[in-house]
Amino acid sequence: MSKPGRPRSAEAHRAILDATMELLAEVGYQSLSIESVAARARVGKATVYRWWPSKVELVVEAVNAEALEIVPEPDTGSLHGDTHELVAGVVALACSPLGRVLEALWAEAERSQALRETLEAVFLARRQQVATNVLERALRRGEARREVDIDLISDLVVGTVFHRARMDIAQLDALFVDHLTELIVAGIGATP
């Protein structure tokens, strides 16, 4: 049983990230404040500022942490399996409350250079690294062509999924995941 008083650092850190995600979903980026996050997490403002010097950095870390839980890096042992897991993960992300938060953040990033730059440097860079790792493993196994444009493949997956989510989320089913996986694997796979 924990003692009353201040939460331990790991607990406070998690509480702050959780509070940030809850408030983003409830009030949006513009209305979110460090004060409201601290109050929701039951910590002092100084505790929040100790880890994140700005709202932008706090929000992007919270979004990134939740995205990693929804879309972990796959390593199934095959290009097809990894691609299928990635596509399914992006579909799960687009259909989750985080998907709506991300869309709102990207819209806000049109007005905030700091938010855009941090989203690109932290959030997109992590997603890009996952896709690169999948491709590098496929290359080592001889399953992919070396000249593949990984940025284009990532954009294809994310863009297609989020477009479908906006148009008709019901279309983001298992058949969609299978079809998009097959298209990607056929496009980047090594020729026999």
Side-chain angles (χ1 to χ4, degrees), residues 1 8 13 21 61 65 68 72 91 112 124 133 142 159 165 180 187-188:
M1 180 180 234
R8 292 193 312 252
H13 192 271
M21 290 308 301
E61 183 173 333
L68 287 172
V91 165
S112 169
L124 287 183
N133 293 346
L180 187 53
I188 67 175

Side-chain angles (χ1 to χ4, degrees), residues 66-88:
E66 187 154 326
L68 287 172
E69 291 176 17
I70 296 171
V71 191
E73 183 173 330
D75 190 359
T76 66
S78 74
L79 174 61
H80 187 278
D82 288 353
T83 302
H84 191 274
E85 292 297 312
L86 273 177
V87 171

